[in-house]
Amino acid sequence: MAVSRTVETGGSDGVKDSAPARAPEGMAGLAKGLAVIEAFGETSSQLTVADAARLTDVTRAAARRCLLTLTDLGYLTHDGKYFRPTPRMLRLGGAYLDTASLPVLAQPHLVAARDALTESVSLAVWEDGWSVFVARAEAERIVSTGVRVGARLPGHCSATGRALLAGLTDDEVAAFLARGGRERRTVKTLIAPEDLTAAVEAARADGYAESDEELELGMRAMAVPVKDARGRTVAAMSVSASSARVSVAEMRRDFLPVLIEHATALGRML
């Protein structure tokens, strides 16, 4: 199994950058550029040079070079202070979404579940402490939850995150909880390790996970694991709804069977 290591490389301004260890033939510049691209997200739709340096843990000089190169290539725009993604950035994620079997196989099940529930249904995978949405069937409502394909949600307080955490080993869950730095998104967000451990254990025992206004007040969500033929959790299928429209009891009674049905059917294909 590959071991993650960190080395320090000298920046052009004399300050050392922290970057993942690479084989001798690796490209440090490419690694930094990709880190800058990943820094743009739901909570950082525009970045300054200082923002990019802070989020990627590289020097300001390195961050500036990456941002200017991406601007020259048409992936970003620059107004003198802020850098913002252009539509060309979609090509990077599109290469995965157009060819990966999981989103393609999942889409019909997401659509069927959405039609049965008249609520938006999504598919997410685990990525380094985050729940990342790779497919979605959106319900037609005036007010949207704001979740989109490519969005990342914190693993500790999202329903998909907890369903995916429940599929990890005890050691992996403990390592995640030991990181700290968990954000309290609302007054209901659980952040204490013992509370989150209990929530993950409940998700394992029950076969589903919930997030009741922990991510955003007024919204609740439920997720179930998608398991492949070996019984490994490879994704989580979720539904989210306004707390004013659907109670927790109604989600368990009406939504859970539909999610289980389609997550199980998808798992048989993997």
Side-chain angles (χ1 to χ4, degrees):
M1 185 174 69
V3 178
S4 176
R5 297 180 291 117
T6 298
V7 297
E8 290 185 328
T9 57
S12 62
D13 54 1
V15 181
K16 292 182 178 180
D17 298 336
S18 175
R22 291 174 298 279
E25 68 273 15
M27 297 177 64
L30 176 60
K32 292 176 183 177
L34 291 173
V36 169
I37 289 173
E38 291 184 346
F40 289 93
E42 182 180 4
T43 59
S44 51
S45 59
Q46 59 183 21
L47 297 176
T48 64
V49 171
D51 294 332
R54 173 177 53 82
L55 291 170
T56 60
D57 196 25
V58 301
T59 64
R60 289 171 63 106
R64 182 175 183 275
R65 289 194 302 271
C66 292
L67 290 167
L68 291 177
T69 299
L70 290 168
T71 300
D72 289 341
L73 294 174
Y75 289 101
L76 302 175
T77 62
H78 185 215
D79 63 7
K81 179 179 180 181
Y82 290 105
F83 292 85
R84 299 179 178 87
T86 70
R88 183 169 185 172
M89 192 76 81
L90 294 172
R91 297 184 187 180
L92 302 178
Y96 169 76
L97 295 172
D98 289 344
T99 60
S101 60
L102 181 59
V104 172
L105 292 173
Q107 197 60 37
H109 295 286
L110 300 181
V111 171
R114 177 203 61 192
D115 292 345
L117 301 175
T118 65
E119 301 287 353
S120 298
V121 180
S122 306
L123 189 79
V125 296
W126 184 255
E127 182 183 308
D128 194 28
W130 296 84
S131 168
V132 182
F133 288 81
V134 297
R136 181 168 171 84
E138 188 80 42
E140 294 184 4
R141 294 191 180 278
I142 296 176
V143 179
S144 171
T145 61
V147 174
R148 66 191 185 284
V149 172
R152 302 191 308 168
L153 296 181
H156 70 284
C157 60
S158 59
T160 47
R162 287 183 184 162
L164 292 165
L165 275 168
L168 301 180
T169 65
D170 288 340
D171 288 343
E172 289 171 326
V173 173
F176 167 73
L177 295 177
R179 294 183 189 179
R182 289 177 289 277
E183 179 185 2
R184 190 183 294 278
R185 298 288 290 261
T186 75
V187 295
K188 294 187 175 183
T189 305
L190 301 180
I191 59 173
E194 58 271 22
D195 293 334
L196 291 172
T197 298
V200 171
E201 290 176 350
R204 284 177 180 164
D206 299 337
Y208 68 94
E210 296 174 330
S211 176
D212 187 10
E213 297 189 297
E214 291 187 54
L215 191 64
E216 178 183 347
L217 290 176
M219 295 299 301
R220 54 176 52 113
M222 170 180 286
V224 299
V226 175
K227 298 184 178 183
D228 64 12
R230 298 182 182 180
R232 299 173 302 183
T233 297
V234 296
M237 187 178 294
S238 69
V239 60
S240 55
S242 165
S243 57
R245 190 171 62 250
V246 181
S247 68
V248 172
E250 288 172 329
M251 293 189 84
R252 293 172 181 169
R253 183 192 67 206
D254 301 329
F255 290 11
L256 184 57
V258 175
L259 286 180
I260 291 175
E261 174 189 353
H262 290 285
T264 301
L266 174 58
R268 294 195 190 102
M269 305 169 71
L270 302 177

